[in-house]
Amino acid sequence: MDTTMQAQQHATSRVVLVSLAAAMGGFLFGFDSAVINGAVDAVRGGFALDAARIGFAVSCALLGAALGAWYAGPVADRWGRVRTMQVAAVLLFASALGSGLVVGLWDLIAWRFVGGVGIGVASVIAPAYIAEVSPAHVRGRLGSLQQLAIVLGIFAALLSDAWIAGVAGGASKPAWLGMEAWRWMFLVATVPALIYGTLVLGVPESPRHLVAKGRIDEARDVLRQMLALPNGPALEAKLHDIQRSLASEVRPRLRDLRGQRLGLLPIVWVGIALSVFQQAVGINVIFYYSSTLWHSVGFSESDAFTITVVTSVVNVLVTLLAIALVDKVGRKPLLVVGSVGMTVTLGLMALCFAQASGDGASLSLPQPWNMVALVSANAYVVFFGLSWGPMVWVLLGEMFPNRIRAIALAVAASAQWLANFAITVSFPKLAEIGLSFAYGLYATFALLSLVFVLKAVRETRGVELEDMQG
Protein backbone atom coordinates (compact mmCIF):
# COMPACT_ATOMS: atom_id res chain seq x y z
CA MET A 1 0.00 0.00 0.00
CA ASP A 2 2.81 2.41 0.94
CA THR A 3 4.63 1.59 -2.30
CA THR A 4 1.49 2.31 -4.30
CA MET A 5 0.94 5.63 -2.54
CA GLN A 6 4.56 6.61 -3.11
CA ALA A 7 4.25 5.77 -6.80
CA GLN A 8 1.08 7.86 -7.07
CA GLN A 9 2.72 10.81 -5.31
CA HIS A 10 5.74 10.54 -7.61
CA ALA A 11 3.46 10.43 -10.66
CA THR A 12 1.46 13.42 -9.41
CA SER A 13 4.68 15.38 -8.86
CA ARG A 14 5.83 14.50 -12.38
CA VAL A 15 2.50 15.59 -13.86
CA VAL A 16 2.75 18.90 -11.99
CA LEU A 17 6.30 19.52 -13.23
CA VAL A 18 5.39 18.65 -16.82
CA SER A 19 2.28 20.83 -16.61
CA LEU A 20 4.33 23.73 -15.24
CA ALA A 21 6.73 23.44 -18.17
CA ALA A 22 3.84 23.47 -20.65
CA ALA A 23 2.18 26.37 -18.82
CA MET A 24 5.34 28.43 -19.35
CA GLY A 25 3.74 29.17 -22.70
CA GLY A 26 1.00 30.89 -20.72
CA PHE A 27 3.66 32.96 -18.95
CA LEU A 28 4.92 34.17 -22.32
CA PHE A 29 1.33 34.71 -23.43
CA GLY A 30 0.82 37.05 -20.44
CA PHE A 31 4.24 38.69 -20.69
CA ASP A 32 4.11 39.45 -24.41
CA SER A 33 0.50 40.63 -24.18
CA ALA A 34 1.07 43.01 -21.27
CA VAL A 35 4.57 44.30 -21.97
CA ILE A 36 3.07 46.90 -24.34
CA ASN A 37 1.37 48.51 -21.30
CA GLY A 38 4.43 50.42 -20.18
CA ALA A 39 5.44 51.33 -23.72
CA VAL A 40 2.10 52.70 -25.00
CA ASP A 41 2.63 56.38 -24.19
CA ALA A 42 6.29 56.35 -25.31
CA VAL A 43 5.49 54.61 -28.60
CA ARG A 44 2.56 56.93 -29.21
CA GLY A 45 4.70 60.00 -28.63
CA GLY A 46 7.76 58.69 -30.43
CA PHE A 47 5.87 57.79 -33.59
CA ALA A 48 3.28 60.61 -33.31
CA LEU A 49 0.29 58.24 -33.41
CA ASP A 50 -3.38 59.08 -33.12
CA ALA A 51 -5.87 56.97 -31.13
CA ALA A 52 -6.70 54.65 -34.02
CA ARG A 53 -3.08 53.85 -34.87
CA ILE A 54 -1.92 53.32 -31.28
CA GLY A 55 -4.97 51.08 -30.78
CA PHE A 56 -3.91 48.97 -33.75
CA ALA A 57 -0.25 48.92 -32.69
CA VAL A 58 -1.28 47.59 -29.28
CA SER A 59 -3.78 45.06 -30.58
CA CYS A 60 -2.17 43.79 -33.80
CA ALA A 61 -0.56 40.94 -31.81
CA LEU A 62 -4.09 39.70 -31.16
CA LEU A 63 -4.73 39.21 -34.89
CA GLY A 64 -1.58 37.11 -35.01
CA ALA A 65 -2.82 35.22 -31.97
CA ALA A 66 -6.10 34.43 -33.72
CA LEU A 67 -4.13 33.05 -36.69
CA GLY A 68 -1.83 31.05 -34.42
CA ALA A 69 -4.74 29.64 -32.44
CA TRP A 70 -6.53 28.65 -35.67
CA TYR A 71 -3.63 26.61 -37.00
CA ALA A 72 -2.31 25.32 -33.67
CA GLY A 73 -4.74 22.38 -33.53
CA PRO A 74 -3.95 20.94 -36.99
CA VAL A 75 -0.22 21.53 -36.49
CA ALA A 76 -0.32 19.81 -33.08
CA ASP A 77 -2.22 16.86 -34.53
CA ARG A 78 0.39 16.45 -37.26
CA TRP A 79 3.66 17.31 -35.45
CA GLY A 80 2.70 16.62 -31.84
CA ARG A 81 2.04 18.87 -28.89
CA VAL A 82 5.69 19.18 -27.82
CA ARG A 83 7.08 20.17 -31.23
CA THR A 84 4.30 22.74 -31.59
CA MET A 85 5.23 24.31 -28.24
CA GLN A 86 8.81 24.58 -29.48
CA VAL A 87 7.62 26.46 -32.58
CA ALA A 88 5.73 28.89 -30.32
CA ALA A 89 8.90 29.54 -28.30
CA VAL A 90 10.89 30.39 -31.47
CA LEU A 91 8.20 32.81 -32.68
CA LEU A 92 8.02 34.56 -29.30
CA PHE A 93 11.80 34.94 -29.11
CA ALA A 94 11.96 36.43 -32.62
CA SER A 95 9.13 38.84 -31.83
CA ALA A 96 10.74 40.10 -28.61
CA LEU A 97 14.05 40.73 -30.36
CA GLY A 98 12.48 42.36 -33.41
CA SER A 99 10.08 44.57 -31.41
CA GLY A 100 12.95 46.00 -29.39
CA LEU A 101 14.95 46.93 -32.48
CA VAL A 102 12.22 48.47 -34.67
CA VAL A 103 12.79 51.68 -36.60
CA GLY A 104 9.17 52.56 -37.37
CA LEU A 105 5.53 51.83 -36.70
CA TRP A 106 5.00 49.21 -39.39
CA ASP A 107 7.90 46.96 -38.44
CA LEU A 108 6.70 47.16 -34.82
CA ILE A 109 3.29 45.99 -36.02
CA ALA A 110 4.91 43.18 -38.04
CA TRP A 111 6.99 41.87 -35.13
CA ARG A 112 4.07 42.17 -32.71
CA PHE A 113 2.01 40.13 -35.19
CA VAL A 114 4.70 37.41 -35.28
CA GLY A 115 4.68 37.29 -31.49
CA GLY A 116 0.91 37.11 -31.58
CA VAL A 117 1.09 33.95 -33.71
CA GLY A 118 3.31 32.40 -31.03
CA ILE A 119 0.93 33.52 -28.28
CA GLY A 120 -2.02 32.00 -30.15
CA VAL A 121 -0.24 28.69 -30.60
CA ALA A 122 0.74 28.56 -26.92
CA SER A 123 -2.79 29.52 -25.82
CA VAL A 124 -4.24 26.45 -27.55
CA ILE A 125 -1.55 23.85 -26.96
CA ALA A 126 -0.83 24.38 -23.26
CA PRO A 127 -4.39 23.73 -21.94
CA ALA A 128 -4.93 20.85 -24.37
CA TYR A 129 -1.63 19.21 -23.42
CA ILE A 130 -2.18 19.69 -19.67
CA ALA A 131 -5.69 18.21 -19.91
CA GLU A 132 -4.36 15.21 -21.84
CA VAL A 133 -1.63 14.28 -19.33
CA SER A 134 -3.58 15.01 -16.12
CA PRO A 135 -5.62 12.62 -13.96
CA ALA A 136 -9.28 13.66 -13.79
CA HIS A 137 -9.23 14.37 -10.03
CA VAL A 138 -6.58 17.10 -10.37
CA ARG A 139 -7.18 18.18 -13.96
CA GLY A 140 -8.99 21.37 -12.99
CA ARG A 141 -6.16 22.55 -10.74
CA LEU A 142 -3.50 21.67 -13.30
CA GLY A 143 -5.53 23.26 -16.09
CA SER A 144 -5.67 26.42 -13.99
CA LEU A 145 -1.87 26.56 -14.14
CA GLN A 146 -2.31 28.04 -17.61
CA GLN A 147 -4.14 31.05 -16.18
CA LEU A 148 -1.73 31.27 -13.23
CA ALA A 149 1.15 31.36 -15.70
CA ILE A 150 -0.64 34.05 -17.74
CA VAL A 151 -1.19 36.30 -14.73
CA LEU A 152 2.39 35.73 -13.53
CA GLY A 153 3.55 36.70 -17.01
CA ILE A 154 1.43 39.85 -16.84
CA PHE A 155 2.86 40.63 -13.41
CA ALA A 156 6.45 40.07 -14.58
CA ALA A 157 5.92 42.25 -17.66
CA LEU A 158 4.40 45.12 -15.68
CA LEU A 159 7.04 44.85 -12.96
CA SER A 160 9.87 44.87 -15.50
CA ASP A 161 8.22 47.80 -17.32
CA ALA A 162 8.05 49.76 -14.06
CA TRP A 163 11.64 48.90 -13.13
CA ILE A 164 13.08 49.79 -16.55
CA ALA A 165 11.11 53.04 -16.69
CA GLY A 166 12.24 53.87 -13.15
CA VAL A 167 15.91 53.25 -13.96
CA ALA A 168 15.73 55.36 -17.13
CA GLY A 169 13.57 58.08 -15.61
CA GLY A 170 10.68 57.42 -17.99
CA ALA A 171 9.62 55.00 -20.73
CA SER A 172 10.77 57.36 -23.50
CA LYS A 173 14.15 58.15 -21.90
CA PRO A 174 17.39 56.42 -22.96
CA ALA A 175 18.49 53.39 -20.93
CA TRP A 176 21.31 50.94 -21.66
CA LEU A 177 23.32 51.14 -24.91
CA GLY A 178 21.60 54.44 -25.65
CA MET A 179 18.29 52.74 -26.51
CA GLU A 180 14.99 54.06 -25.15
CA ALA A 181 13.55 52.27 -22.11
CA TRP A 182 10.48 51.06 -24.02
CA ARG A 183 12.74 49.08 -26.39
CA TRP A 184 14.25 47.22 -23.42
CA MET A 185 10.73 46.43 -22.23
CA PHE A 186 10.32 44.33 -25.37
CA LEU A 187 13.86 42.89 -25.40
CA VAL A 188 13.50 41.48 -21.87
CA ALA A 189 10.90 39.02 -23.26
CA THR A 190 13.67 37.09 -25.02
CA VAL A 191 14.66 35.59 -21.65
CA PRO A 192 11.38 33.75 -20.83
CA ALA A 193 11.12 32.68 -24.49
CA LEU A 194 14.51 30.94 -24.20
CA ILE A 195 13.50 29.34 -20.89
CA TYR A 196 10.23 28.08 -22.38
CA GLY A 197 11.97 26.60 -25.42
CA THR A 198 14.44 24.82 -23.17
CA LEU A 199 11.84 23.45 -20.74
CA VAL A 200 9.58 21.92 -23.39
CA LEU A 201 12.52 19.93 -24.76
CA GLY A 202 12.18 17.75 -21.67
CA VAL A 203 8.43 17.05 -21.53
CA PRO A 204 6.89 13.82 -22.86
CA GLU A 205 4.47 13.76 -25.75
CA SER A 206 0.75 13.56 -24.96
CA PRO A 207 -0.37 9.92 -24.62
CA ARG A 208 -3.51 10.66 -26.62
CA HIS A 209 -1.44 12.02 -29.50
CA LEU A 210 0.83 8.96 -29.33
CA VAL A 211 -2.16 6.61 -29.45
CA ALA A 212 -3.63 8.56 -32.37
CA LYS A 213 -0.32 8.05 -34.23
CA GLY A 214 -0.19 4.34 -33.41
CA ARG A 215 2.79 4.70 -31.04
CA ILE A 216 1.19 2.47 -28.40
CA ASP A 217 4.34 1.44 -26.52
CA GLU A 218 5.37 5.09 -26.09
CA ALA A 219 1.86 5.98 -24.92
CA ARG A 220 1.99 3.11 -22.41
CA ASP A 221 5.28 4.43 -21.01
CA VAL A 222 3.91 7.96 -20.65
CA LEU A 223 0.73 6.76 -18.93
CA ARG A 224 2.80 4.65 -16.56
CA GLN A 225 4.90 7.67 -15.61
CA MET A 226 2.12 10.26 -15.49
CA LEU A 227 -0.66 8.25 -13.81
CA ALA A 228 1.37 5.71 -11.77
CA LEU A 229 -0.40 2.85 -13.53
CA PRO A 230 1.62 -0.37 -13.23
CA ASN A 231 1.71 -2.88 -16.06
CA GLY A 232 -1.52 -4.78 -15.88
CA PRO A 233 -5.30 -4.42 -16.30
CA ALA A 234 -5.56 -0.79 -15.16
CA LEU A 235 -2.94 0.44 -17.64
CA GLU A 236 -4.39 -1.58 -20.52
CA ALA A 237 -7.91 -0.41 -19.64
CA LYS A 238 -6.77 3.23 -19.82
CA LEU A 239 -5.12 2.59 -23.18
CA HIS A 240 -8.30 0.90 -24.39
CA ASP A 241 -10.40 3.87 -23.28
CA ILE A 242 -8.19 6.24 -25.28
CA GLN A 243 -8.22 3.95 -28.32
CA ARG A 244 -11.99 3.60 -28.10
CA SER A 245 -12.54 7.34 -27.95
CA LEU A 246 -10.23 7.87 -30.92
CA ALA A 247 -11.30 4.82 -32.94
CA SER A 248 -13.67 6.65 -35.25
CA GLU A 249 -11.46 9.71 -35.52
CA VAL A 250 -10.08 10.99 -38.75
CA ARG A 251 -7.96 14.11 -38.93
CA PRO A 252 -10.33 16.69 -37.42
CA ARG A 253 -11.61 19.30 -39.84
CA LEU A 254 -14.07 22.14 -39.64
CA ARG A 255 -16.79 19.99 -41.13
CA ASP A 256 -16.58 17.76 -38.03
CA LEU A 257 -17.95 20.70 -36.03
CA ARG A 258 -21.07 21.06 -38.10
CA GLY A 259 -24.39 20.82 -36.33
CA GLN A 260 -28.02 21.68 -36.88
CA ARG A 261 -28.03 24.82 -34.72
CA LEU A 262 -26.62 27.76 -36.69
CA GLY A 263 -24.22 25.46 -38.51
CA LEU A 264 -22.15 24.24 -35.53
CA LEU A 265 -22.48 21.68 -32.76
CA PRO A 266 -23.96 23.21 -29.58
CA ILE A 267 -20.81 22.42 -27.58
CA VAL A 268 -18.73 24.39 -30.09
CA TRP A 269 -21.01 27.42 -29.74
CA VAL A 270 -20.65 27.16 -25.95
CA GLY A 271 -16.85 27.20 -26.32
CA ILE A 272 -16.96 30.19 -28.67
CA ALA A 273 -19.31 32.10 -26.34
CA LEU A 274 -17.11 31.37 -23.31
CA SER A 275 -14.13 32.75 -25.21
CA VAL A 276 -15.94 35.87 -26.40
CA PHE A 277 -17.42 36.72 -23.00
CA GLN A 278 -14.03 36.28 -21.32
CA GLN A 279 -12.75 39.16 -23.45
CA ALA A 280 -15.95 41.20 -23.84
CA VAL A 281 -15.94 42.11 -20.13
CA GLY A 282 -12.88 44.24 -20.89
CA ILE A 283 -10.22 42.59 -18.75
CA ASN A 284 -7.36 43.36 -21.12
CA VAL A 285 -8.19 47.07 -21.06
CA ILE A 286 -6.95 46.94 -17.47
CA PHE A 287 -3.71 45.20 -18.41
CA TYR A 288 -2.94 46.91 -21.75
CA TYR A 289 -3.94 50.47 -20.95
CA SER A 290 -4.01 50.76 -17.16
CA SER A 291 -0.81 52.80 -16.82
CA THR A 292 -2.17 55.28 -19.36
CA LEU A 293 -5.60 55.22 -17.69
CA TRP A 294 -4.39 55.95 -14.14
CA HIS A 295 -1.93 58.55 -15.43
CA SER A 296 -4.79 60.30 -17.22
CA VAL A 297 -6.95 60.63 -14.10
CA GLY A 298 -4.39 62.38 -11.94
CA PHE A 299 -1.81 59.84 -10.81
CA SER A 300 1.87 60.45 -11.65
CA GLU A 301 3.59 58.17 -14.18
CA SER A 302 5.46 56.45 -11.35
CA ASP A 303 2.27 55.96 -9.30
CA ALA A 304 0.41 54.71 -12.38
CA PHE A 305 3.07 52.02 -12.92
CA THR A 306 2.91 51.08 -9.24
CA ILE A 307 -0.90 50.77 -9.30
CA THR A 308 -0.69 48.58 -12.39
CA VAL A 309 1.84 46.25 -10.73
CA VAL A 310 -0.31 46.02 -7.58
CA THR A 311 -3.32 45.12 -9.72
CA SER A 312 -1.34 42.33 -11.35
CA VAL A 313 -0.30 41.01 -7.90
CA VAL A 314 -3.96 40.90 -6.92
CA ASN A 315 -4.64 38.95 -10.10
CA VAL A 316 -1.96 36.38 -9.21
CA LEU A 317 -3.29 35.89 -5.66
CA VAL A 318 -6.90 35.33 -6.67
CA THR A 319 -5.82 32.94 -9.41
CA LEU A 320 -4.11 30.85 -6.73
CA LEU A 321 -7.40 30.89 -4.82
CA ALA A 322 -9.24 29.75 -7.96
CA ILE A 323 -6.80 26.83 -8.35
CA ALA A 324 -7.57 25.77 -4.77
CA LEU A 325 -11.33 25.91 -5.40
CA VAL A 326 -11.83 24.63 -8.96
CA ASP A 327 -11.90 20.89 -8.18
CA LYS A 328 -13.81 21.41 -4.91
CA VAL A 329 -16.46 23.92 -5.92
CA GLY A 330 -16.60 23.27 -9.66
CA ARG A 331 -16.27 25.40 -12.77
CA LYS A 332 -19.83 26.69 -13.17
CA PRO A 333 -20.37 28.07 -9.64
CA LEU A 334 -17.14 30.10 -9.89
CA LEU A 335 -18.23 31.51 -13.25
CA VAL A 336 -21.56 32.60 -11.74
CA VAL A 337 -19.85 34.36 -8.82
CA GLY A 338 -17.44 36.05 -11.22
CA SER A 339 -20.18 37.32 -13.53
CA VAL A 340 -22.15 38.84 -10.67
CA GLY A 341 -19.07 40.50 -9.18
CA MET A 342 -17.86 41.88 -12.50
CA THR A 343 -21.26 43.32 -13.31
CA VAL A 344 -21.31 45.25 -10.02
CA THR A 345 -17.69 46.47 -10.12
CA LEU A 346 -17.77 47.49 -13.78
CA GLY A 347 -21.01 49.32 -13.12
CA LEU A 348 -19.30 51.20 -10.28
CA MET A 349 -16.41 52.14 -12.59
CA ALA A 350 -18.87 53.47 -15.15
CA LEU A 351 -20.50 55.54 -12.40
CA CYS A 352 -17.12 56.88 -11.24
CA PHE A 353 -16.01 57.99 -14.69
CA ALA A 354 -19.36 59.69 -15.22
CA GLN A 355 -18.08 62.17 -12.61
CA ALA A 356 -14.87 62.92 -14.57
CA SER A 357 -14.09 66.35 -15.93
CA GLY A 358 -12.00 67.19 -18.99
CA ASP A 359 -10.95 64.72 -21.64
CA GLY A 360 -7.85 63.11 -23.13
CA ALA A 361 -4.67 64.06 -21.26
CA SER A 362 -6.61 66.59 -19.14
CA LEU A 363 -9.12 64.03 -17.81
CA SER A 364 -9.43 64.06 -14.02
CA LEU A 365 -11.54 62.37 -11.38
CA PRO A 366 -12.50 64.35 -8.25
CA GLN A 367 -12.24 62.94 -4.74
CA PRO A 368 -13.55 60.46 -3.66
CA TRP A 369 -14.41 59.09 -7.11
CA ASN A 370 -10.80 58.48 -8.14
CA MET A 371 -10.25 56.17 -5.16
CA VAL A 372 -13.61 54.46 -5.65
CA ALA A 373 -12.59 53.80 -9.27
CA LEU A 374 -9.25 52.40 -8.13
CA VAL A 375 -10.86 50.05 -5.58
CA SER A 376 -13.54 49.00 -8.06
CA ALA A 377 -10.93 48.22 -10.72
CA ASN A 378 -9.02 45.96 -8.34
CA ALA A 379 -12.23 44.31 -7.09
CA TYR A 380 -13.13 43.66 -10.73
CA VAL A 381 -9.75 41.96 -11.23
CA VAL A 382 -10.44 39.83 -8.14
CA PHE A 383 -13.74 38.56 -9.54
CA PHE A 384 -12.27 37.94 -12.99
CA GLY A 385 -9.17 36.19 -11.62
CA LEU A 386 -11.32 33.96 -9.44
CA SER A 387 -13.59 32.90 -12.27
CA TRP A 388 -13.54 33.79 -15.96
CA GLY A 389 -9.77 34.01 -16.17
CA PRO A 390 -8.86 30.44 -15.18
CA MET A 391 -12.22 28.68 -15.62
CA VAL A 392 -12.53 29.38 -19.34
CA TRP A 393 -9.10 27.86 -20.02
CA VAL A 394 -9.93 24.84 -17.87
CA LEU A 395 -13.23 24.31 -19.68
CA LEU A 396 -11.78 24.78 -23.16
CA GLY A 397 -9.10 22.20 -22.42
CA GLU A 398 -11.56 19.55 -21.28
CA MET A 399 -15.13 20.19 -22.47
CA PHE A 400 -14.90 18.91 -26.05
CA PRO A 401 -15.12 15.23 -27.08
CA ASN A 402 -11.73 13.71 -27.99
CA ARG A 403 -12.53 13.40 -31.68
CA ILE A 404 -12.99 17.17 -32.12
CA ARG A 405 -10.97 18.59 -29.22
CA ALA A 406 -8.05 20.01 -31.19
CA ILE A 407 -10.06 21.72 -33.94
CA ALA A 408 -12.85 22.86 -31.58
CA LEU A 409 -10.31 24.36 -29.19
CA ALA A 410 -8.62 26.11 -32.12
CA VAL A 411 -11.94 27.64 -33.21
CA ALA A 412 -12.83 28.75 -29.68
CA ALA A 413 -9.37 30.21 -29.04
CA SER A 414 -9.42 32.05 -32.37
CA ALA A 415 -12.77 33.55 -31.42
CA GLN A 416 -11.23 34.62 -28.12
CA TRP A 417 -8.36 36.41 -29.79
CA LEU A 418 -10.63 38.13 -32.28
CA ALA A 419 -12.83 39.31 -29.42
CA ASN A 420 -9.70 40.45 -27.56
CA PHE A 421 -8.62 42.38 -30.66
CA ALA A 422 -12.02 44.03 -31.03
CA ILE A 423 -12.07 45.13 -27.37
CA THR A 424 -8.45 46.30 -27.35
CA VAL A 425 -8.45 48.17 -30.66
CA SER A 426 -11.74 49.90 -29.84
CA PHE A 427 -10.85 51.10 -26.33
CA PRO A 428 -8.95 54.29 -27.31
CA LYS A 429 -11.93 55.38 -29.42
CA LEU A 430 -14.42 54.36 -26.72
CA ALA A 431 -12.35 56.32 -24.20
CA GLU A 432 -12.65 59.39 -26.43
CA ILE A 433 -16.45 58.95 -26.37
CA GLY A 434 -16.29 58.54 -22.60
CA LEU A 435 -14.84 56.06 -20.10
CA SER A 436 -18.23 55.85 -18.43
CA PHE A 437 -19.69 54.57 -21.71
CA ALA A 438 -16.82 52.08 -22.17
CA TYR A 439 -17.13 50.55 -18.70
CA GLY A 440 -20.91 50.57 -18.90
CA LEU A 441 -20.61 48.50 -22.09
CA TYR A 442 -18.29 46.01 -20.38
CA ALA A 443 -20.71 45.80 -17.43
CA THR A 444 -23.51 44.90 -19.85
CA PHE A 445 -21.42 42.07 -21.27
CA ALA A 446 -20.69 40.84 -17.73
CA LEU A 447 -24.44 40.68 -17.03
CA LEU A 448 -25.04 38.79 -20.29
CA SER A 449 -22.28 36.35 -19.33
CA LEU A 450 -24.22 35.49 -16.16
CA VAL A 451 -27.33 34.63 -18.17
CA PHE A 452 -25.23 32.53 -20.56
CA VAL A 453 -23.54 30.51 -17.80
CA LEU A 454 -26.82 29.76 -16.05
CA LYS A 455 -28.47 28.56 -19.24
CA ALA A 456 -25.74 26.94 -21.36
CA VAL A 457 -22.64 25.83 -19.41
CA ARG A 458 -22.38 22.27 -18.10
CA GLU A 459 -20.22 21.26 -15.15
CA THR A 460 -17.20 19.08 -16.10
CA ARG A 461 -15.66 18.52 -12.67
CA GLY A 462 -14.47 14.91 -12.28
CA VAL A 463 -15.57 13.79 -15.76
CA GLU A 464 -12.98 11.78 -17.74
CA LEU A 465 -11.98 13.29 -21.08
CA GLU A 466 -13.07 10.08 -22.81
CA ASP A 467 -16.57 10.60 -21.44
CA MET A 468 -17.08 14.18 -22.62
CA GLN A 469 -20.15 14.48 -24.81
CA GLY A 470 -20.77 16.82 -27.75
Side-chain angles (χ1 to χ4, degrees), residues 35 38-48 96-105 108 160-161 163-188 301 305:
V35 74
V40 169
D41 285 345
V43 171
R44 184 172 189 171
F47 294 128
L97 186 63
S99 296
L101 301 176
V102 295
V103 295
L105 172 63
L108 175 61
S160 70
D161 283 358
W163 179 72
I164 292 169
V167 169
S172 60
K173 299 295 178 62
W176 305 280
L177 301 180
M179 292 192 296
E180 298 98 322
W182 66 264
R183 294 182 182 275
W184 285 102
M185 293 175 184
F186 290 120
L187 289 171
V188 165
E301 181 182 47
F305 273 118

Side-chain angles (χ1 to χ4, degrees), residues 233-255:
L235 177 59
E236 297 306 317
K238 183 63 177 176
L239 270 174
H240 177 72
D241 285 345
I242 295 173
Q243 289 172 317
R244 175 177 51 81
S245 70
L246 297 172
S248 61
E249 183 179 345
V250 294
R251 183 182 174 189
R253 301 178 185 276
L254 282 176
R255 65 169 175 262

